[in-house]
């Protein structure tokens, strides 16, 4: 007997995604990966030998890329080919929700001297793109180690006040103040003025991606 039109798919089997939908999802994944690494269209085009115009059309879902093009792009981005297809057929989302007080406490220099660092998100990409921390300094924080790391750091003071050293400069930070600096220059707290101190510290590693 011929199958009637409009018959539902068998229970438990998801319908196959349409070709246009697959093209759009691949393009969106390429754009997300490129942006998370801080790369421009031109930079990825140069690395992959795919024209910037073609790359733009691909990211917008206007063109279906060949396997050769996808291979060149994943090599340029430093990810496995399967990464571009990982989200196809899955619901959109993947946001990371960290409830108050449940950030992963990590050990860094200074944690034995009254410093605490809670990681607020885990970067799940093939390369570390950023790290957001909630940093707390207490009255016990008497000795301040110097920090050096790749990338750029952004600090936003939520509570308290302190002087913060970056290279040969010292900055007075109060609640609501922000400070952005290059992480490869030695830096760290210099003097605690009003405790407890809580601040967001976001380290962005985009500029440390190798060419």
């Amino acid at each position: 007997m011929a199958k009637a039109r409009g018959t539902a798919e068998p229970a438990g089997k998801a319908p196959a995604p349409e070709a246009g939908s697959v093209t759009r999802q691949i393009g969106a994944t390429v754009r997300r990966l490129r942006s998370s690494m801080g790369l421009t269209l031109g930079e990825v085009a140069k690395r992959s030998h795919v024209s910037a115009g073609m790359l733009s059309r691909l990211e917008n879902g206007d063109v279906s890329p060949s396997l050769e093009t996808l291979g060149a792009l994943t090599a340029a981005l430093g990810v496995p080919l399967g990464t571009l297809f990982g989200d196809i057929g899955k619901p959109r989302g993947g946001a990371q929700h960290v409830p108050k007080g449940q950030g992963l406490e990590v050990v860094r220099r200074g944690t034995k001297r009254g410093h605490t660092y809670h990681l607020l998100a885990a970067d799940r990409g093939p390369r570390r793109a950023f790290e957001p921390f909630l940093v707390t300094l207490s009255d016990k924080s008497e000795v301040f180690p110097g920090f050096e790391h790749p990338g750029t750091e952004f600090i936003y003071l939520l509570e308290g006040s302190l002087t913060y050293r970056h290279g040969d400069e010292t900055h007075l930070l109060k609640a609501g103040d922000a400070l952005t600096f290059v992480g490869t220059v030695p830096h760290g707290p210099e003097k605690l003025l009003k405790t407890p101190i809580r601040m967001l510290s976001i380290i962005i590693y985009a500029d440390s991606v190798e060419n």
Side-chain angles (χ1 to χ4, degrees):
M1 180 181 295
K3 183 178 179 181
R5 294 183 179 178
T7 301
E9 293 284 340
K13 182 179 180 181
E18 297 179 358
S21 174
V22 171
T23 298
R24 287 192 296 272
Q25 289 193 47
I26 290 175
T29 300
V30 170
R31 183 190 298 111
R32 174 173 56 79
L33 290 171
R34 177 178 62 77
S35 297
S36 71
M37 297 175 187
L39 298 173
T40 65
L41 274 170
E43 289 171 331
V44 175
K46 183 178 180 180
R47 290 185 180 191
S48 63
H49 303 291
V50 175
S51 71
M54 173 62 75
L55 180 56
S56 177
R57 292 180 62 199
L58 187 153
E59 289 189 354
N60 291 325
D62 296 333
V63 62
S64 181
S66 66
L67 188 59
E68 181 180 0
T69 297
L70 292 180
L73 288 174
T74 52
L77 295 170
V79 300
L81 182 60
T83 302
L84 301 185
F85 300 90
D87 293 334
I88 293 176
K90 296 181 181 179
R92 287 190 173 185
Q96 297 181 51
H97 176 203
V98 179
K100 180 179 179 180
Q102 295 187 26
L104 175 66
E105 185 169 353
V106 298
V107 176
R108 298 185 71 195
R109 295 179 63 194
T111 52
K112 294 182 179 180
R113 300 186 178 95
H115 301 53
T116 60
Y117 300 82
H118 288 91
L119 187 62
L120 302 181
D123 190 356
R124 296 177 292 193
R127 295 182 180 179
R128 183 174 56 175
F130 76 106
E131 285 184 317
F133 294 97
L134 175 61
V135 183
T136 304
L137 306 179
S138 69
D139 290 327
K140 297 180 181 179
S141 304
E142 298 176 353
V143 180
F144 308 110
F147 297 96
E148 294 180 53
H149 54 76
T152 300
E153 183 166 356
F154 169 81
I155 287 177
Y156 181 80
L157 206 65
L158 299 168
E159 181 181 2
S161 62
L162 78 162
T163 56
Y164 199 92
R165 181 182 66 261
H166 180 253
D168 297 329
E169 299 179 344
T170 299
H171 304 269
L172 171 62
L173 299 181
K174 300 178 181 179
D177 290 351
L179 183 66
T180 305
F181 50 85
V182 176
T184 53
V185 176
H187 58 275
E190 185 170 78
K191 185 176 181 180
L192 307 187
L193 302 176
K194 182 180 180 181
T195 59
I197 293 169
R198 293 192 311 131
M199 59 185 176
L200 286 176
S201 170
I202 302 175
I203 303 175
I204 304 168
Y205 295 102
D207 62 354
S208 64
V209 175
E210 295 180 357
N211 292 322

